[in-house]
Amino acid sequence: MAIESGQSNSALTTRLQQAVNWGRKYSLWPIPYGTACCAIEFMASVSSYHDLSRYGAELVRFSPRQSDLMIVAGTISYKQAPILKTIYAQMCEPKWVIAMGVCASSGGFYKNYGTLQGTDRVIPTDMYVAGCPPTPENLFHGLMKLQDKIDRDGIVSSEDRHGARARVEG
Amino acid sequence: MSERLVGALRAEFGEAILDSDDHRGDHHVTVDKGRLLDVLGHLRHREGCGMLADVVGVDYPDRPERFDVIYYLRSVERPEQIWVRTRVEEGEEVPSATAHWRSADWHEREVYDLFGVPFSGHPDLRRILCHHEFEGHALRKDYPVELGQELQETEKLFSDHDVARAAHRASLAQNPEGQGDEIAATDLLTINLGPSHPAMHGCLRAECLLDGETIVDARAEIGYLHRCFEKEAEDHTWAAVMPYTDRLNYCSPMLNNVIYAEAVEKLIGVEVPERGQVIRVIVSELSRIIDHLVCVGTNLVDMGALTMYWYTFNVREAMYQIIEGLCGSRLTTNYARIGGLSHDLYPGFEEEVREKLKMLEESIHDVVKLAARNRIFLDRAVGVGAISREDAIDFGFTGPALRACGVEYDARKMHPYLGYEDYDFDIPTGEDGDTHARIMVRMAEMIQSKRIIEQALDRLPDGPINVDDASVILPPKEQVYGSIEGVMNQFKLIYEGIQVPAGTAYGFGEGGNGELGFYCISDGTGHPYRIKVRPPCFPIFGAYAHLIRGGMISDAIATLGSLNIIAGELDR
Ligand code: SF4
C-alpha cells in the first residue's frame, strides 16, 4: 500500500485496526443457535418492540456461512454438543459467540448427566449473559459489551484469539 | 368407573392377576409377565382401552424383582383408565407391547434407555433420550445425577444398507412391473432436518431420504434437549420441582405449573379453595391461548404467511403483559404452589384481561378471514400430514391433534378438574386429521378458552387462594418475622420439604398439546421417589416419520408446525 511509505508500520496498523473494528462491531450478523426457552425470548429481542437491529446487529441469518456472531440461546445437552461444534466450525472468521442465559453460560440449574456445563466447554465463548431467560435488555447489554471487546481486538482470527484456550481444552 | 376393568380382568385371567390396588381412584393391576400381552390385548380389543398413553419404569434397588414396568391404558370414549404393572429382575425381558400399539415403540425405548429393561420382540430397541455412546442407565437409583458423559460424534440414523433398501422399495413402488429406471441408492439424497435447523421448531431431528423432493423414508430422533427433569425431580423437594415444570412446555408454563400442583395435591389429599381454583382456570386458559397463538402463528409463517404471524404475535405480546404483571416474568412463571398460588391477582387484572380478550377475538377474526379462503394456505394445508382416527389413537395422540380427527377427547370434559364441569364450553373437532384441521381446531379452541375465562371472571369469588394447612403452604411473612412458630414452619418446609404421604397418584389435565400428566410416587420423605411426566408431544412426534413418509419435503415442515412439538416437553 502506498500509504505505508514514510510511516512506521505500527502506527498504520493501529489506525487500520480501528477502522476495521469499527466496521465489524456495527455490522454483526447473528446466527441464533436456539434450543430451548431462551430462544423464545430471543424471538422477542429481534422482533419489532425491542429490536436488536438498533444496536448494529440487524440481519439474523440462519446459515453459519453468512454470520459472524453466534448467539447460543438455550440449554446444550451432551447429545447436542457435537452439532454446536460443527456449526461453529462452519462460520467464517472473524467470529464471536454470546452465551445467552445461564444454561448456555454454565448449565444453569441443570447440573445433571445430560447437560453440558457451558458452551465454553466445546467452543470459545466471548460473552456470557445472565438470566433465565435474560430479558431483551440484558441481551443488548451483552451485545454492547461484545462490541467493546471487538473494539479492543487485533485484526486476527478468533482462532488466534482463542487458540491457546481451545487447544488446552481439545 | 375403572373398577369395572379390574373386575373384568379378574374374571378373565384369574390367577394371572397377581394383585390389584387403588391409589386415590387410579386402578393398578399387577400381572404375571407371561400373560402381560394377553391382558393388554384383552383391554384393548374387548374392554375399549384403545390407547396406550404411557409406559412408566420404576426402580426399587432393594427388591429382588427390581423394576416395575407400568403400562397406562385409557379409553378415549369413556372416562376409564387402568395401569397394568409387571415386575422384572435385572436383565429380564418384558414382551413388547408393540404387538398391540405403535405408541409402545418409543415409550418402551425410553424405559430401556433410562432403566435398562430389555423388551423382547421390540423392532428397534435403541436408546432414545440419552446419546448412543452413553453407558449405564440414568434413572436407576444408583446412577449419580451429575455424572455427564461427553459425545464426540452424532449418530447416523440410516446405514448404507437402509438407504439401499429404501431405494429398492421406492423403485418397486414407481414401476411395479419392473420396467423403467431403477432408483439407485446413490440417487437418494440424505438430509437432516434438524436438530439445528431454522424450520424445525426447536431441536428436533428427522433424517430424510429424498428422491427429488419426495421423502422416500424418514426417521425421527429426539433427546437433543434432554434436561433430565425426572432425575432432577428426585433430587429436589416436591415444591422445588415447580420451577423445572415451567421449562417443560415453555410456551404454556402456567398449564404445567397448575397440573403439577394438582397432581401433588391429589397425592397429599388437599383441595385448593374456590378462588384459587378459579384463578388457576383463568391462568391455564390464558396459557392455552398463548400456546395456540404461537403454534398457529409460526405454522403459518412456515407456509409463507407472514402477515398472520404479526396478527397472532401482537396479541401474544399483549397476553404476556398480563402474565408478566401477574408473576414478574414472561416465560418462567412459577406461579402455582402446591396447595395454592404464590400470590393473588393484581388490582385491575379483571379489566385488563377483558380488554385483551377483545383484542384476541379481533385478531382471530382477522386471521380466519385471511386464511379461510386463501388459495395458498388451503393448497399447503388441506390433506397434508393427515392421519386417520384409528392411527391417531394407536399412536397415542391427544389434544388438538386427536380432536382434529374427530375424537372428542378432552380431559377437561372427560375427567373434570378445577371445577371445569361448571363452565359452559364446547370441544371443537375436525374431520380430516390434516394440517388444516389441526389449525382450525386450535383457532376454535381459543374462542372456547375466551368463553371460559369470561365465565371465570364473572364468578371469581372472594376468599383465600391457598389451603389452610401449615404443613403444605408457607406461612405469611408477618408470621415468619414475628413468631418463632412461623420461623420454624418456614424452615422445615424449605429444608425438609412438604412431607407427602407415601403412595402413588396420577394427576393430569388438558395441556396445550393434549393430556399432560404427572405420575408421582412418594415414599413419605420430602423428596419425590419418582415423577414420570406424560408429555403430550412425545407420542405425537413418535408418529412424525409416519406422517411425512411419501410426502414432499415442504409438507414435512407444514405438518410439523401444526403438531406443535415443544422440545422441552418432548425430551424433558
Ligand atoms: S437459561 Fe433458563 S430460560 Fe434459558 S434455556 Fe436455560 S432454563 Fe430456559
Side-chain angles (χ1 to χ4, degrees):
Chain A
M1 272 190 272
I3 262 180
E4 266 181 19
S5 58
Q7 289 191 16
S8 85
N9 263 345
S10 60
L12 180 71
T13 314
T14 317
R15 269 196 223 117
L16 181 60
Q17 176 177 329
Q18 258 175 10
V20 169
N21 284 347
W22 177 81
R24 280 180 179 171
K25 75 176 182 183
Y26 290 127
S27 62
L28 291 166
W29 291 40
I31 171 173
Y33 194 91
T35 58
C37 359
C38 272
I40 309 272
E41 273 311 76
F42 179 79
M43 291 198 312
S45 309
V46 291
S47 57
S48 44
Y49 183 76
H50 295 286
D51 199 0
L52 185 68
S53 51
R54 292 182 294 157
Y55 300 90
E58 167 83 64
L59 273 175
V60 175
R61 293 281 104 163
F62 286 97
S63 153
R65 308 273 187 218
Q66 299 172 349
S67 341
D68 55 7
L69 169 61
M70 177 188 264
I71 300 184
V72 185
T75 322
I76 304 294
S77 64
Y78 287 113
K79 198 166 179 174
Q80 180 86 278
I83 300 148
L84 176 67
K85 255 203 268 192
T86 313
I87 295 201
Y88 177 76
Q90 287 172 346
M91 290 167 65
C92 299
E93 295 285 350
K95 53 187 170 184
W96 298 274
V97 175
I98 292 184
M100 174 182 178
V102 290
C103 280
S105 302
S106 69
F109 80 163
Y110 292 104
K111 189 161 175 38
N112 55 36
Y113 65 86
T115 310
L116 185 74
Q117 300 297 302
T119 50
D120 53 11
R121 304 272 169 126
V122 290
I123 58 173
T125 305
D126 294 273
M127 211 42 78
Y128 304 83
V129 179
C132 180
T135 56
E137 293 83 352
N138 232 343
L139 177 64
F140 299 160
H141 185 232
L143 181 78
M144 279 144 70
K145 284 271 178 207
L146 178 71
Q147 289 170 335
D148 290 348
K149 191 175 174 188
I150 295 175
D151 221 9
R152 296 194 303 271
D153 268 355
I155 317 179
V156 285
S157 68
S158 47
E159 201 171 301
D160 287 345
R161 289 186 287 119
H162 295 288
R165 197 159 102 224
R167 269 196 297 281
V168 170
E169 293 181 1
Chain B
M1 269 185 88
S2 310
E3 307 87 292
R4 182 187 74 78
L5 295 174
V6 180
L9 286 181
R10 282 205 178 278
E12 178 75 23
F13 292 95
E15 296 290 284
I17 306 295
L18 304 176
D19 181 6
S20 69
D21 39 301
D22 164 8
H23 299 280
R24 293 168 179 78
D26 301 337
H27 292 274
H28 289 59
V29 292
T30 309
V31 304
D32 182 53
K33 198 189 73 180
R35 301 299 302 279
L36 177 69
L37 283 191
D38 299 335
V39 171
L40 293 179
H42 182 80
L43 283 167
R44 169 164 195 176
H45 298 292
R46 298 276 157 71
E47 302 294 343
C49 290
M51 182 181 289
L52 172 67
D54 205 357
V55 181
V56 184
V58 192
D59 178 22
Y60 297 97
D62 300 332
R63 252 179 23 192
E65 286 174 321
R66 183 171 170 175
F67 301 105
D68 272 3
V69 180
I70 307 167
Y71 289 81
Y72 163 37
L73 271 52
R74 67 162 313 110
S75 158
V76 288
E77 276 114 30
R78 290 184 300 275
E80 287 186 334
Q81 16 165 234
I82 188 165
W83 283 261
V84 180
R85 179 198 291 127
T86 188
R87 303 204 156 108
V88 285
E89 289 170 24
E90 167 87 67
E92 198 183 338
E93 287 189 329
V94 178
S96 166
T98 43
H100 295 307
W101 289 276
R102 277 178 281 183
S103 63
D105 183 348
W106 278 24
H107 287 309
E108 289 181 343
R109 273 177 69 189
E110 184 183 322
V111 176
Y112 166 72
D113 180 5
L114 300 177
F115 291 92
V117 176
F119 290 85
S120 57
H122 190 288
D124 182 28
L125 199 61
R126 288 182 296 128
R127 286 188 183 271
I128 184 163
L129 294 178
C130 297
H131 57 73
H132 62 289
E133 288 176 11
F134 197 88
E135 282 169 16
H137 300 282
L139 272 187
R140 288 190 176 190
K141 292 285 173 191
D142 47 17
Y143 192 91
V145 68
E146 288 178 12
L147 182 62
Q149 301 187 19
E150 282 182 16
L151 173 71
Q152 299 306 335
E153 217 167 306
T154 306
E155 188 185 18
K156 266 196 179 154
L157 301 182
F158 285 105
S159 66
D160 292 345
H161 178 65
D162 295 333
V163 179
R165 276 224 317 250
H168 182 63
R169 270 204 312 271
S171 321
L172 278 185
Q174 274 185 15
N175 9 272
E177 311 291 294
Q179 299 138 0
D181 295 335
E182 275 274 311
I183 299 177
T186 45
D187 292 342
L188 295 185
L189 181 68
T190 311
I191 64 153
N192 269 304
L193 274 180
S196 172
H197 188 283
M200 293 303 267
H201 296 224
C203 35
L204 320 165
R205 177 179 176 204
E207 197 168 309
C208 305
L209 295 182
L210 298 184
D211 172 26
E213 284 189 54
T214 309
I215 300 175
V216 176
D217 202 356
R219 278 181 193 172
E221 168 81 357
I222 64 171
Y224 295 97
L225 193 56
H226 179 47
R227 299 192 279 194
C228 325
F229 171 83
E230 291 168 8
K231 189 80 174 178
E232 288 275 4
E234 293 171 15
D235 207 39
H236 286 70
T237 58
W238 288 94
V241 174
M242 188 63 78
Y244 285 94
T245 64
D246 288 342
R247 290 144 178 94
L248 288 173
N249 183 338
Y250 32 77
C251 287
S252 49
M254 286 286 193
L255 281 162
N256 310 339
N257 289 171
V258 168
I259 293 172
Y260 172 67
E262 289 273 311
V264 184
E265 283 155 14
K266 181 173 175 186
L267 195 50
I268 306 177
V270 290
E271 190 163 310
V272 176
E274 200 188 342
R275 182 175 172 85
Q277 294 208 5
V278 175
I279 296 178
R280 280 186 178 183
V281 168
I282 297 174
V283 295
S284 298
E285 295 307 318
L286 280 175
S287 210
R288 188 184 320 282
I289 291 174
I290 294 177
D291 188 279
H292 286 1
L293 283 171
V294 174
C295 170
V296 172
T298 49
N299 197 184
L300 290 169
V301 171
D302 291 342
M303 300 179 199
L306 195 60
T307 327
M308 275 95 113
Y309 174 79
W310 300 126
Y311 284 5
T312 52
F313 267 58
N314 270 346
V315 204
R316 166 183 177 259
E317 204 56 41
M319 299 271 162
Y320 260 168
Q321 282 163 10
I322 304 176
I323 303 278
E324 195 174 11
L326 195 56
C327 49
S329 73
R330 295 148 54 93
L331 227 66
T332 39
T333 53
N334 191 21
Y335 182 56
R337 288 288 176 275
I338 297 166
L341 299 163
S342 75
H343 48 269
D344 211 324
L345 303 176
Y346 58 87
F349 176 83
E350 190 183 331
E351 296 73 44
E352 190 174 350
V353 173
R354 285 193 197 275
E355 188 190 317
K356 293 197 164 147
L357 285 179
K358 252 191 239 129
M359 239 177 112
L360 170 77
E361 186 157 23
E362 281 165 23
S363 103
I364 293 180
H365 182 72
D366 286 343
V367 173
V368 170
K369 226 163 68 181
L370 277 171
R373 286 155 53 79
N374 181 319
R375 181 67 197 274
I376 303 176
F377 168 65
L378 293 179
D379 282 353
R380 290 294 311 271
V382 174
V384 169
I387 186 165
S388 71
R389 188 192 150 97
E390 290 69 33
D391 280 350
I393 296 175
D394 191 35
F395 272 112
F397 277 38
T398 48
L402 179 65
R403 293 192 282 272
C405 312
V407 182
E408 266 203 26
Y409 169 62
D410 185 319
R412 292 172 296 176
K413 282 271 193 216
M414 186 126 31
H415 302 266
Y417 55 105
L418 288 176
Y420 268 112
E421 63 274 31
D422 302 331
Y423 295 87
D424 181 22
F425 66 103
D426 304 324
I427 306 179
T429 53
E431 275 176 11
D432 304 329
D434 55 1
T435 300
H436 180 258
R438 287 189 281 265
I439 294 180
M440 287 305 161
V441 164
R442 282 206 168 81
M443 299 291 257
E445 275 185 15
M446 286 193 268
I447 298 291
Q448 297 305 322
S449 293
K450 172 175 173 286
R451 277 177 70 190
I452 298 176
I453 297 173
E454 281 165 350
Q455 292 170 43
L457 288 174
D458 288 342
R459 75 165 64 161
L460 190 65
D462 289 332
I465 51 168
N466 292 338
V467 294
D468 184 20
D469 184 345
S471 66
V472 176
I473 279 285
L474 289 176
K477 283 287 172 279
E478 305 85 68
Q479 276 181 30
V480 180
Y481 296 132
S483 74
I484 186 69
E485 293 78 24
V487 179
M488 288 297 292
N489 192 356
Q490 165 101 7
F491 184 82
K492 280 185 102 63
L493 277 180
I494 296 289
Y495 276 85
E496 293 171 5
I498 300 168
Q499 301 300 304
V500 175
T504 305
Y506 178 67
F508 70 107
E510 188 67 25
N513 279 327
E515 179 183 325
L516 171 67
F518 292 87
Y519 184 90
C520 305
I521 303 179
S522 170
D523 57 355
T525 63
H527 296 250
Y529 187 79
R530 169 102 171 92
I531 295 182
K532 168 75 176 74
V533 189
R534 195 254 166 210
C537 291
F538 186 86
I540 296 180
F541 197 59
Y544 184 59
H546 169 78
L547 287 180
I548 63 174
R549 216 169 275 143
M552 304 283 278
I553 184 93
S554 52
D555 290 346
I557 304 295
T559 305
L560 180 74
S562 70
L563 295 174
N564 196 17
I565 307 294
I566 306 292
E569 175 188 276
L570 174 75
D571 297 343
R572 286 152 286 147

